């Protein structure tokens, strides 16, 4: 057979079109092998159909498989194989095979696959080396080919080989193994050079496209990053704004105060060094899914999904204050931050513009400032301007309050073992922190009342959680020890909402020193008698003393986020180990808080912790949406080790 493949003529192209349409009509599947003696003309039509496939398809595997099946059938083969070359080396690998799947043939195929990447069988390597196929080589059971013996057992006695050529090079070999040793008739063989030629072109085209796509992805990553700070650049920020999902969000607009003076007096290198440090610091202050970008010159911007007025103000203030801690040769570092928080669906560019207006307002007022407003203005902006103690007063006066629920998840299999209820006063988004509100209540002596109002709301809102969910409720030690808020009061609340006390875990969020541990033990015993269990919140963050650990005999210990996040540091490691040791002795289960990503999840698992809670596993959401949280988990490749089973496991220990 001639090694050179003729180029497709116009006549052939027309034949392709005709064959494609006739193939569609006749629905030739070619999946099962027909050991037919089809007339040569129909064999030719089938083969030419392959050319249509190469022109139309982008599915590499499917096209090669389908072509192979058709060719094998048309040439009356028992087995068809495509061996592809790997780069410039002569190594080949059996990538596709097609057969009737009978056991003896399957053993022959498996032997070919087992060869992996290498020179391949003699009859294939010969084609790669010489660029020439063979029209009907008989297979000699005593020959060099390691599969020859198996071929005989599978009733295979001859092989047809064809080079698959790209631009000049052999990119692969098509081999058809047959029962008979007689040559197929010439009409069946005639289209083969054209088929192999176009197959080679197709392989090269798809490979080139893949390489271009990969290069483009690399370029895109480069094109989306600001070279100086490693943050996102202006283009990427614009893209993020355009593609923001339908969620409440906030935009921050930031500007480094006095950078121009530093550039003028100390030179641009000093200015760049300053920008780099500012950029790195800002990057550390946002969450993984926030977009922090350098927009140009001394301007930065952040896009914070699921953040409301309070969160925006808090993050902006945190950024401003963080600059005060930077020590640079050029002097103090100061920034001004403007923010705007908007409801889902607001126009992001207008929100950014609003943040910009606030920025310039802050600049005009002298810099080193935070200014902002709710995008809608009105009520939310009103709240932002009030102090946190006013938020407390408002809630206690009957103001609007809702609850979000965050899943507590098995780090082994991702199943949800319970939900923690977290209070969200009006103006707070699901991801905003209410820490300052509870702090204000503590300072103002209103923590017991706030605590109770939030718990009542939480138990009511928890009615929408999946049936049988365990509910983790926060309770301040002050409220727990207050005779006004007794176990009876909680039981009444549980009864009114149909929740069993056995499905409730009270998280003791201790921020004040407990004076009388005996009283605490008595109070806890009264709750436990009803089936209610306890968790010690934020262990390792300084509030939970050893005495409290011992006296509460909590069923769960929640390892505080500051420990979880720094678990690779020696000090944190020691505190974690001590907690684990205590848990082993007391029989408590440890829950790692603040699991923000898979890396932390792995660290916790390696440390023997089996339960986790954190934005990386499940964000706080409204009770009606928690099922979606679990579903999202299943899809998240980053957490592949944490595949949930969607089961709500009761933990009764
Ligand atoms: P907590 O009980 O330790 O609750 C966990 C806090 O960590 C929540 O903040 C939650 O949103 C946040 N969080 C969860 N996962 C992550 C993560 O991966 N990364 C980060 N950075 N944070 C994460 P939240 O809702 O702002 O609550 C703060 C604290 O306020 C709570 O800490 C709790 O002490 C108190 N609190 C919240 N709701 C209530 C309530 O209804 N009653 C009482 N008494 N206290 C509450
Ligand atoms: Mg808690
Ligand atoms: Mg906690």
């Amino acid at each position: 057979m001639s090694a050179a493949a003729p180029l497709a003529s116009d006549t052939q192209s027309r034949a392709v079109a005709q064959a494609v349409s006739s193939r569609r009509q006749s629905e030739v599947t070619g999946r099962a092998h027909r050991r037919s003696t089809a007339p040569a003309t129909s064999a030719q039509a089938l083969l030419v159909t392959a050319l249509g496939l190469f022109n139309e398809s982008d599915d590499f595997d499917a096209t090669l498989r389908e072509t192979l099946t058709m060719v094998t059938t048309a040439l009356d083969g028992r087995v068809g194989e495509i061996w592809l070359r790997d780069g410039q080396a002569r190594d080949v690998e059996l990538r596709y095979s097609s057969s009737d799947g009978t056991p003896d043939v399957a053993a022959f195929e498996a032997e070919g696959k087992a060869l992996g990447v290498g020179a391949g069988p003699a009859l294939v390597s010969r084609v790669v080396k010489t660029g020439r196929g063979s029209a009907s080589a008989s297979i000699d059971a005593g020959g060099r080919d390691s599969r020859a013996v198996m071929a005989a057992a599978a009733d295979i006695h001859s092989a047809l080989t064809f080079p698959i050529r790209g631009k000049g090079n052999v990119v692969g070999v098509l081999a058809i193994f047959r029962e008979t040793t007689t040559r197929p008739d010439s009409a069946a063989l005639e289209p083969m050079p054209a088929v192999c030629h176009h197959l080679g072109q197709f392989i090269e085209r798809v490979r080139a496209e893949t390489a271009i796509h990969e290069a483009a992805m690399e370029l895109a990553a480069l094109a989306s990053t600001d070279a100086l700070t490693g943050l996102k650049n202006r283009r990427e920020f614009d893209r993020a704004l355009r593609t923001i999902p339908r969620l409440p969000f906030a935009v921050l607009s930031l500007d480094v105060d006095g950078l121009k003076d530093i550039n003028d007096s100390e030179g641009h290198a000093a200015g760049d060094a300053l920008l780099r440090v500012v950029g790195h610091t800002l990057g550390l202050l946002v969450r993984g899914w926030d977009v922090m970008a350098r927009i140009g010159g001394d301007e930065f911007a952040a896009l914070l999904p699921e953040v409301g007025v309070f969160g925006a103000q808090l993050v902006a203030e945190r950024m401003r204050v963080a600059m005060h801690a930077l020590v640079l040769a050029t002097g103090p570092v100061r920034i001004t931050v403007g923010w705007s928080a908007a409801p889902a669906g607001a126009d992001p560019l207008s929100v950014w513009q609003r943040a910009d207006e606030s920025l310039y307002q802050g600049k005009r007022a002298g810099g080193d400032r935070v200014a902002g407003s709710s995008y809608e203005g009105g009520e939310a902006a009103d709240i932002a301007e009030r102090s946190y103690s006013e938020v407390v007063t408002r809630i206690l006066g009957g103001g609007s309050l809702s609850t979000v629920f965050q899943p507590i998840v098995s780090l082994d299999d991702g199943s949800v073992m319970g939900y923690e209820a977290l209070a969200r006063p009006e103006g707070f988004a699901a991801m905003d922190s209410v820490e300052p509100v509870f702090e204000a209540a503590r300072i103002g002596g209103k923590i017991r009342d706030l605590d109770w109002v939030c718990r009542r709301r939480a138990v009511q809102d928890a009615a929408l959680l999946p049936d049988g969910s365990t509910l983790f409720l926060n309770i301040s030690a002050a409220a727990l020890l207050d005779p006004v808020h007794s176990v009876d009061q909680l039981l009444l609340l549980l009864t009114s909402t149909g929740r069993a006390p056995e499905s409730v875990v009270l998280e003791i969020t201790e921020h004040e020193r407990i004076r009388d541990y005996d009283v605490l033990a008595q109070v806890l015993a009264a709750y436990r008698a009803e089936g209610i269990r306890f968790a010690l919140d934020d262990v390792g963050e300084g509030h939970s003393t050893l005495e409290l650990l011992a006296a509460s005999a909590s069923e769960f210990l929640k390892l505080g986020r500051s420990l979880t996040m720094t678990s690779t540091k020696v000090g944190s490691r020691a505190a974690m180990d001590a907690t684990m040791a205590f848990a082993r002795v007391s029989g408590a289960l440890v829950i790692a808080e603040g699991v923000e990503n898979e890396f932390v999840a792995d660290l916790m698992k390696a440390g023997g912790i089996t339960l986790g809670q954190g934005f990386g596993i499940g964000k706080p959401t409204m009770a009606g949406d928690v099922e979606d949280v679990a579903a999202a988990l299943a899809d998240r490749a980053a957490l592949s080790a944490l595949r949930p089973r969607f089961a709500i496991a009761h933990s009764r220990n």
Side-chain angles (χ1 to χ4, degrees):
M1 158 176 283
S2 156
L7 287 170
S9 65
D10 279 346
T11 331
Q12 271 174 330
S13 304
R14 273 195 299 278
V16 170
Q18 280 166 9
V20 169
S21 65
S22 74
R23 175 176 168 264
R24 287 199 176 128
Q25 283 157 16
S26 61
E27 281 205 309
V28 175
T29 63
R31 193 165 270 181
H33 275 202
R34 289 167 298 128
R35 316 199 89 243
S36 69
T37 48
T41 47
S42 105
Q44 185 167 3
L46 266 182
L47 296 178
V48 176
T49 301
L51 304 187
L53 267 178
F54 304 148
N55 283 332
E56 291 178 358
S57 172
D58 284 325
D59 186 336
F60 191 78
D61 287 339
T63 302
L64 264 67
R65 276 205 187 94
E66 200 162 341
T67 306
L68 180 62
T69 306
M70 287 195 293
V71 171
T72 310
T73 308
L75 293 176
D76 215 7
R78 288 216 74 187
V79 177
E81 293 180 347
I82 292 178
W83 295 73
L84 288 185
R85 248 175 106 174
D86 193 15
Q88 284 307 306
R90 285 211 174 131
D91 287 349
V92 286
E93 186 183 9
L94 176 54
R95 294 286 298 278
Y96 306 93
S97 63
S98 151
S99 75
D100 55 15
T102 49
D104 45 1
V105 166
F108 174 77
E109 278 185 288
E111 171 77 6
K113 292 243 166 73
L115 289 175
V117 180
L123 58 86
V124 171
S125 64
R126 200 178 310 127
V127 183
V128 175
K129 207 184 304 174
T130 63
R132 302 171 74 91
S134 69
S136 192
S138 60
I139 293 180
D140 169 10
R144 248 185 352 111
D145 196 321
S146 63
R147 298 201 295 169
V149 176
M150 286 174 177
D155 226 358
I156 289 169
H157 302 292
S158 77
L160 298 163
T161 52
F162 306 92
I164 304 170
R165 292 181 164 279
K167 287 189 190 70
N169 278 334
V170 174
V171 294
V173 176
L174 177 68
I176 305 294
F177 295 91
R178 306 168 76 233
E179 197 174 327
T180 161
T181 49
T182 54
R183 237 176 108 95
D185 64 55
S186 57
L189 283 173
E190 193 199 313
M192 285 308 294
V195 169
C196 287
H197 168 76
H198 285 279
L199 182 57
Q201 302 263 303
F202 174 75
I203 291 170
E204 288 220 316
R205 170 170 74 81
V206 175
R207 283 185 173 168
E209 280 170 5
T210 309
I212 289 169
H213 179 72
E214 278 166 7
M217 295 293 281
E218 264 172 44
L219 276 177
L222 283 177
S224 65
T225 308
D226 170 49
L228 186 63
T229 59
L231 297 176
K232 302 290 183 209
N233 62 15
R234 166 74 198 244
R235 248 183 59 190
E236 186 61 12
F237 192 71
D238 283 340
R239 200 191 60 78
L241 282 183
R242 281 196 308 274
T243 53
I244 183 170
R246 253 194 97 81
L247 293 169
F249 65 97
V251 178
L252 268 47
S253 191
L254 310 90
D255 194 290
V256 181
D257 297 342
L259 182 73
K260 187 175 176 310
D261 295 344
I262 291 172
N263 274 334
D264 290 349
S265 62
E266 315 273 337
H268 281 274
D272 282 358
L274 170 68
L275 286 171
R276 207 175 294 125
V277 174
V278 169
H280 288 171
T281 310
L282 294 175
L284 292 174
L285 293 173
V286 294
R287 306 159 303 174
W289 54 91
D290 294 329
V291 182
M292 186 76 233
R294 178 164 164 248
I295 297 307
D298 56 357
E299 285 177 51
F300 294 82
L303 172 63
L304 315 173
E306 292 181 274
V307 161
V309 283
F310 281 98
Q313 165 79 27
L314 198 76
V315 175
E317 184 59 19
R318 207 181 285 155
M319 289 174 169
R320 186 190 71 80
V321 171
M323 297 301 140
H324 287 226
L326 297 180
V327 182
L328 288 186
T330 44
V333 185
R334 298 290 179 261
I335 57 169
T336 301
V337 190
W339 59 263
S340 182
D347 170 37
L349 283 176
S350 311
V351 179
W352 189 12
Q353 196 180 345
R354 184 69 63 83
D356 257 350
E357 287 162 12
S358 292
L359 169 66
Y360 291 113
Q361 206 182 311
K363 282 274 191 201
R364 276 197 301 277
D368 189 22
R369 243 157 258 261
V370 166
S373 65
S374 143
Y375 177 66
E376 283 182 319
E379 185 71 352
D382 187 12
I383 294 174
E385 279 148 24
R386 291 166 192 231
S387 67
Y388 290 114
S389 61
E390 277 177 79
V391 176
V392 176
T393 310
R394 213 178 150 100
I395 297 170
L396 297 183
S400 162
L401 176 73
S402 59
T403 317
V404 287
F405 295 88
Q406 188 177 27
I408 296 168
V409 169
S410 155
L411 294 175
D412 288 330
D413 61 15
S415 57
V416 176
M417 71 79 53
Y419 294 92
E420 175 176 6
L422 298 162
R424 291 294 178 267
E426 188 178 13
F428 285 75
M431 305 287 285
D432 282 353
S433 175
V434 293
E435 202 99 50
V437 178
F438 283 90
E439 190 54 34
R442 233 166 258 125
I443 293 165
K446 293 178 178 156
I447 185 66
R448 296 167 216 204
D449 295 339
L450 177 68
D451 193 86
W452 168 248
V453 172
C454 292
R455 197 159 43 258
R456 196 175 54 196
R457 180 81 259 157
V459 171
Q460 284 160 357
D461 290 347
L464 286 177
L465 285 176
D467 284 347
S469 301
T470 298
L471 177 63
F472 285 69
L473 292 170
N474 287 292
I475 186 163
S476 71
L480 196 59
L481 295 174
D482 184 352
V484 174
H485 301 293
S486 65
V487 63
D488 295 337
Q489 189 193 33
L490 181 61
L491 286 177
L492 215 60
L493 177 61
L494 294 178
T495 310
S496 72
T497 53
R499 173 168 289 279
E502 291 79 10
S503 73
V504 172
V505 178
L506 291 180
E507 289 191 12
I508 308 174
T509 34
E510 170 51 7
H511 290 264
E512 303 141 40
R513 268 195 89 76
I514 293 174
R515 287 181 223 291
D516 195 336
Y517 286 100
D518 289 339
V519 173
L520 178 79
Q522 281 167 24
V523 171
L524 298 194
Y527 280 92
R528 283 205 173 96
E530 303 297 336
I532 292 169
R533 287 169 293 166
F534 287 88
L536 209 52
D537 209 349
D538 306 329
V539 172
E541 295 196 341
H543 309 302
S544 47
T545 57
L546 262 179
E547 284 161 302
L548 182 57
L549 270 173
S552 70
S554 296
E555 286 83 350
F556 298 92
L557 300 178
K558 297 188 78 178
L559 208 58
R561 187 167 62 92
S562 52
L563 268 196
T564 313
M565 295 221 325
T566 57
S567 66
T568 49
K569 297 209 171 127
V570 177
S572 307
R573 189 73 248 166
M576 266 176 68
D577 290 346
T579 309
M580 296 295 291
F582 183 86
R584 263 194 302 279
V585 175
S586 66
L589 284 174
V590 177
I591 301 169
E593 290 191 313
V595 179
E596 293 194 350
N597 52 51
E598 188 188 11
F599 176 64
V600 176
D602 286 346
L603 283 177
M604 293 301 111
K605 272 199 289 184
I609 297 176
T610 54
L611 293 168
Q613 178 182 0
F615 295 157
I617 316 178
K619 297 180 193 171
T621 32
M622 305 297 276
D625 297 335
V626 294
E627 298 264 54
D628 292 341
V629 174
L633 248 181
D635 296 340
R636 209 171 310 158
L639 285 165
S640 51
L642 302 177
R643 295 267 185 241
R645 289 178 315 188
F646 305 109
I648 310 291
H650 281 280
S651 153
R652 294 178 197 280
N653 56 332

